[in-house]
Amino acid sequence: MMSRGKYLLRCKSARRKDIVIPNGETLIVGRSPITGIKNTRVSKRHLKLTSTDKGVICEAIGSNRAFVNGQPLVQFDKKLLLNKEVLNLIEGELEYQLIMDEKNENTATPGKEPKMVHSNHWSQGLFRAMEDPELKVLDDEKVCVIKDKYPKATHHFLVLPKEHLSTLNDLTASHTTLVEHMVQVAEDHLIKDLKDFEFKMGFHAIPSMAQVHMHVISQDFNSPCLKTKKHWNSFNTDYFILAKDVLSQIKSEGKVNTSSAMKSLLSENLVCNRCSLKPKNIPDLKQHLLKHFKAKQK
Ligand code: AMP
Ligand code: ZN
């Protein structure tokens, strides 16, 4: 077994964040906000990295070749990368060196601008939230439930699998029971005791935070954290993919249907979720929503 700590892939050719491969885990890396890689020759799912006691197994998933110590890694090939060895995500570019980090800490060097380590990047905040007693609601062997730190409604929870799944694109038919379990946990432990509220459960088509998370959100949207059109539309257009639709898509097609074009849904005109009113702006919408909310409480 790998003793302690984790592996880091540290970029040599540019100031990029370290990619952290936690002890004993598998990570899919590629073009994403997490790696900061924008080069379109790198697929979103470019390499599968698995840490072992000897080093990191690199498996090519994307169509463009990666290079392990100068040796090409064609699609679906695997090679072992050892401590201090070099990986290029594409030919001659994006060069990373494997570092065994035994300290298990952010490896920023004093006096130098800290390198952004995976676990300290803002997009990794949900991993930290899962350990935060103020936010953690419950967990079991498969999932963890936290309160959303910036709730967009009276009740807003996130249900996260413990299995490392970076994005919705990592979900396949094999995750059906996991997603069903996420829904069941929400129904049994979150929604059941809050009968005065209507809830929806679903996933943002293009999430900003790493690790798959299902939003469980009350439909009053009565919260000071709901501030922008983007916030509203992310829960009230097709950008919000209901858990039942995620389930039927992974069961029938083996994947969730998302595309970068769905981003445009965030700038659609505002429409109330209770009636056909089309408010001019968010303050008008929020004032209007309070009327529905108060009417329901009477
Ligand atoms: P999205 O990635 O778009 O599905 O949304 C991420 C959700 O995580 C948002 O609703 C945020 O309010 C919430 N969030 C962001 N940072 C944290 C954090 N550190 N702890 C808990 N929730 C967070
Ligand atoms: Zn209305």
Side-chain angles (χ1 to χ4, degrees), residues 96-161:
Y96 286 83
Q97 186 176 37
L98 187 70
I99 297 169
M100 173 66 192
D101 178 22
E102 284 173 301
K103 294 192 298 299
N104 219 352
E105 293 288 339
N106 183 334
T107 52
T109 320
K112 284 194 182 164
E113 189 184 319
K115 274 192 173 264
M116 197 62 88
V117 173
H118 181 117
S119 58
N120 278 345
H121 188 251
W122 63 265
S123 66
Q124 306 298 304
L126 299 184
F127 290 111
R128 288 191 296 280
M130 286 161 81
E131 308 292 327
D132 181 345
E134 302 254 316
L135 293 174
K136 188 165 162 182
V137 178
L138 59 95
D139 72 346
D140 66 13
E141 73 287 356
K142 283 187 181 167
V143 301
C144 180
V145 179
I146 59 170
K147 286 186 196 157
D148 194 293
K149 197 171 177 180
Y150 312 101
K152 307 300 185 296
T154 304
H155 300 289
H156 187 178
F157 305 98
L158 303 175
V159 183
L160 300 107

Side-chain angles (χ1 to χ4, degrees), residues 272-277 288-289 292:
C272 175
N273 64 339
R274 307 253 157 225
C275 70
S276 56
L277 185 96
H288 171 76
L289 288 174
H292 287 299

